Structures are given as C-alpha cells and as structure tokens.
Amino acid sequence: MAKTVAMVGTDAVAEAMRQINPDVVPAYPITPQTAVVEKYAQMVADGIVDSEMINAESEHSAMSAAIGAAAGGARVMTATSSQGLALMWEMLYIASGMRLPVVMANVNRSLSAPINIHCDHSDSMGARDSGWIQLFSENAQETYDNVLQAIRIAEHPDVLTPVMVLLDGFIISHSIDRFDLIDDDAAKAFVGQYTPRNSLLDAANPSCWGAFDGLGGYFFEFKRAQAEGMLKAPAVIREVGKEYAEISGRRYDYFASYRMEDAEFVIVAAGSAAGTIRTAVDIFRGKGLRVGLLKLRMFRPFPQQELVEALSHAKAVAVFDRSDTFAGDLGGPIFVETRSAFYEAEKRPQLMNFIYGLGGRDLPMSLVNQAIEMFKEAASGEQKKRIVYLGLRD
C-alpha cells in the first residue's frame, strides 16, 4: 500500500534511494544537497540498506568513483549541487560517453560568482550538452517519482545513458511537503535487478574501458551511438512513465499540461515555479483570459516535436527561464530551444522570454501577473521586448 508522509525534498530523494538500494553511492556533501547524503549515509550506518557508501574528498572524485563502480557492473547513484556539479564537469562527459547508467539527483543552486547558495538552474543548464538525460521536478512527490523512474530509464538497453533528476534548492529540497511513497515491494519490483551488458569484473569476457581513440579510430562512431541512445530515450521515458502509473496512479510524460485545451496564452516553465504559475492561470481564467501552463519535465532530450504540437494553437507563448545563456539577447536556454523548435513549424505563436529567480529571487504572484499582462501585449504587437528580466530591482 502507498504511504503518505510529510518530508523535505532531500528526504524524498533518500527514500527513493532506500527503495532502490543501489550497490554503490559515492558522494561529497554540498549545500543544499548535503541532507541527501547525510540521510542516506545514516541508512547505510543503520543497516537499512546495504549500499557501499564512498565518502569522496570532492565531487570530481565522487563522479570518478561512480564511473569506476558502474564500469564494474554496479548500480550506482549519487547527488550534488552547483559548484559540485561544475567540479564534476569532465567526469560527466566520461560517464555519458561510456554509456554508464549512473543516476544523480542535482539540487539546483546558482553558480558563483558572486557566491550564492540559493536556487536557479544555471548549474544543470550548464551541463545540458554533457550527454545526460535531465528530468525536472515541481515538488517532493515528483522528485521521488522521478528518481525511481530514472533507474529504469538509464539502465534500459536502448538508452544506457546517465540521468540527472533536478529539484529546486531550498524551495523543494528543504521545504516539508506531503507526498505518497509506493510500497517497498512494489518499488523493488519496479526497478528490478540490473544486469550490465559489459563489466570490468567479468574475467571470462574481458572488456576495455577508457582507451585512447585517436585519428583513424572510432571516436566519431562512439559519439553517434551515444546520440542514438538519446534519440531512443523519449520512447523509453514515456513507456516507463506509463508503467509507473500502474503502480502509483501518477502518470508522467515529457511535460504536463494545465488548462491547455483552449489556451490562447501559454506559459512554459520547469521546476517549482509551476505551482505559482498554475494559481495565476486560474486567476486569469476567472477574468476571462484563456491562459494555460505547459510544465516541462524532460529537458534532455528536448521534446521538440511534441512541444510544437502542444503550443501551435496559442497566440502567444511565454517561456520562463531560471537561468541565462549570456549569449547576447538570445534569452534563456529553454526559450532558445523552444524558439528553435518552431523554426520549421507552419504555425508560430508570438514567443517571449522571462528570465526570473536568479540566485533564489522569489517569484511572487504579482510578477507572474505582470508577465501575463506583458505577453498579452506581445500577442497584439504592442510589446516590443522579447527578453524580459522579471523582478529586477531598480
């Protein structure tokens, strides 16, 4: 039976990890991820799980250990945030290039400088081309559910690609939320056992990992095969989401729609901001304005075709980004990719980008209301701005 609990978001990650009981968990604590490692280390110490916990001296070492353990055939999980993810940088590419199904919770936090420990998406967006699947969570429930599904997605033979599960620092990670845990036996049956295709420890079938592959080698073919795994990931993500719905009652797909059927004005957002925006949608619906929300869950791979189909009927689309590309006036990463997706579309709504919440800056209802009024003007051609930094102080 499902069990309803009240826990902070980091505990939601730890509870999912407990039910998965991975073979190896190498990690280094960093705010606001620290509580994930603390909680799981306590579970290991108490004998609740039998994972091998490796207390690394840095995040670079943590991902290095994760790569070595995964190459040896182990089921591996870890967690990090912000500068920790940045310190893993070169190892992220090695994990994905070796097609190792490592699952990592990343508690989104801004990257310095200046030093800031609060939420924005600059850390994971910086890693968006590192070859990792990225799944965003709105709350503790989605965080828990995404972690359980991530194991199945990463280990699927058609995918074999590492997965990041993303949750907003402090907003989700340190806020108590009500959510439902599925039964331990059901979770165990859902994630199943991992049987690696190749293992460094399989002496009867020796394999080579991390070899040099220079001119005349097969580096290009390796990368094309890696891209193929990402191309096949959406079908697996959808399939796993359907199967998870059968045991949880909660259905997951590439994104979730709210009041989209007849929406003329649509907001696209990822993460915890979706809750505030959903309330604003209801308020404007009460005023007669047909507003809808598309909450992006799967950012990598990017659901280009499905997103265009879902948004093509709208007059105007406002994309909310919690990070910036610093590419001049191109806008935030979700906006850039959404606009690119519409390049060959027959019907193109007016697109507007709102960059918000950097360094943990709050997104009150007043700012969402302001954004909706602005992109109403954009739809009529009265609003000339396309990139707006929402909530800047004078």
Side-chain angles (χ1 to χ4, degrees):
M1 288 182 62
K3 178 183 178 182
T4 302
V5 297
M7 293 182 179
V8 294
T10 50
D11 283 355
V13 175
E15 283 297 317
M17 292 176 66
R18 175 187 64 79
Q19 293 180 319
I20 294 165
N21 193 11
D23 300 312
V24 181
V25 178
Y28 185 86
I30 180 171
T31 303
Q33 169 272 123
T34 305
V36 173
V37 177
E38 288 179 343
K39 182 76 171 182
Y40 199 74
Q42 189 65 57
M43 292 176 179
V44 173
D46 292 342
I48 296 171
V49 291
D50 54 14
S51 303
E52 181 71 28
M53 188 85 191
I54 301 175
N55 298 316
E57 80 277 8
S58 73
E59 291 86 356
H60 186 282
S61 297
M63 185 52 63
S64 298
I67 288 166
R75 175 175 274 171
V76 183
M77 300 182 72
T78 186
T80 194
S81 287
S82 184
Q83 312 298 136
L85 183 65
L87 190 55
M88 291 179 176
W89 224 249
E90 65 169 309
M91 308 315 295
L92 296 178
Y93 287 84
I94 292 171
S96 61
M98 288 185 174
R99 308 295 295 280
L100 298 173
V102 177
V103 170
M104 175 167 63
N106 183 72
V107 186
N108 283 117
R109 168 190 152 184
S110 61
L111 282 169
S112 301
I115 296 171
N116 184 291
I117 64 168
H118 298 287
C119 174
D120 62 37
H121 297 159
S122 55
D123 53 359
S124 61
M125 287 299 178
R128 64 188 180 271
D129 295 334
S130 62
W132 285 60
I133 292 168
Q134 294 189 351
L135 302 177
F136 276 94
S137 313
E138 180 187 342
N139 49 38
Q141 183 71 74
E142 291 190 6
T143 300
Y144 166 80
D145 293 337
N146 277 335
V147 172
L148 285 175
Q149 292 174 75
I151 287 287
R152 288 283 307 281
I153 295 163
E155 295 174 355
H156 194 285
D158 288 344
V159 179
L160 287 177
T161 297
V163 178
M164 276 185 214
V165 174
L166 309 170
L167 59 150
D168 286 354
F170 292 105
I171 301 167
I172 299 174
S173 66
H174 285 62
S175 297
I176 292 179
D177 200 356
R178 173 205 177 280
F179 64 99
D180 294 328
L181 299 171
I182 62 175
D183 180 75
D184 286 355
D185 291 337
K188 184 177 180 180
F190 174 75
V191 299
Q193 295 294 319
Y194 172 49
T195 304
R197 182 181 296 175
N198 299 294
S199 168
L200 276 171
L201 303 181
D202 185 358
N205 299 285
S207 55
C208 181
W209 298 76
F212 179 74
D213 189 15
L215 292 176
Y218 287 86
F219 184 89
F220 200 163
E221 287 73 21
F222 265 91
K223 291 297 148 184
R224 181 63 186 86
Q226 186 180 345
E228 191 67 22
M230 196 66 88
L231 286 170
K232 291 178 179 178
V236 173
I237 290 170
R238 178 167 281 171
E239 173 190 324
V240 171
K242 288 179 181 177
E243 188 176 334
Y244 190 72
E246 294 176 3
I247 62 171
S248 68
R250 296 181 292 276
R251 177 75 178 272
Y252 286 85
D253 210 323
Y254 311 148
F255 46 77
S257 299
Y258 183 68
R259 306 193 77 164
M260 285 283 291
E261 296 79 8
D262 63 342
E264 293 182 328
F265 306 95
V266 178
I267 299 174
V268 176
S272 61
T276 303
I277 295 169
R278 195 178 291 109
T279 301
V281 166
D282 289 339
I283 291 171
F284 274 89
R285 282 278 178 168
K287 298 177 180 178
L289 188 67
R290 297 208 294 261
V291 184
L293 166 67
L294 189 148
K295 181 180 68 176
L296 189 63
R297 176 197 181 215
M298 183 182 80
F299 180 69
R300 278 290 180 271
F302 192 73
Q304 174 180 340
Q305 183 177 345
E306 293 80 6
L307 201 69
V308 168
E309 291 174 358
L311 298 174
S312 59
H313 69 281
K315 287 183 179 179
V317 173
V319 179
F320 276 50
D321 269 295
R322 201 158 197 160
S323 60
D324 198 353
T325 59
F326 302 110
D329 61 353
L330 284 181
I334 300 177
F335 176 73
V336 168
E337 302 212 2
T338 301
R339 184 163 58 178
S340 176
F342 272 100
Y343 180 74
E344 295 177 335
E346 292 183 5
K347 295 182 65 177
R348 300 189 193 113
Q350 292 288 335
L351 293 172
M352 193 168 182
N353 188 204
F354 293 94
I355 295 173
Y356 75 99
L358 304 188
R361 182 71 55 85
D362 195 19
L363 181 68
M365 190 70 65
S366 59
L367 285 182
V368 180
N369 293 344
Q370 178 185 331
I372 291 174
E373 293 293 348
M374 290 179 74
F375 91 99
K376 273 172 55 184
E377 295 174 4
S380 64
E382 297 174 14
Q383 174 60 248
K384 300 305 180 184
K385 286 186 178 180
R386 285 292 175 263
I387 315 295
V388 174
Y389 289 81
L390 193 62
L392 279 178
R393 293 175 182 153
D394 294 332

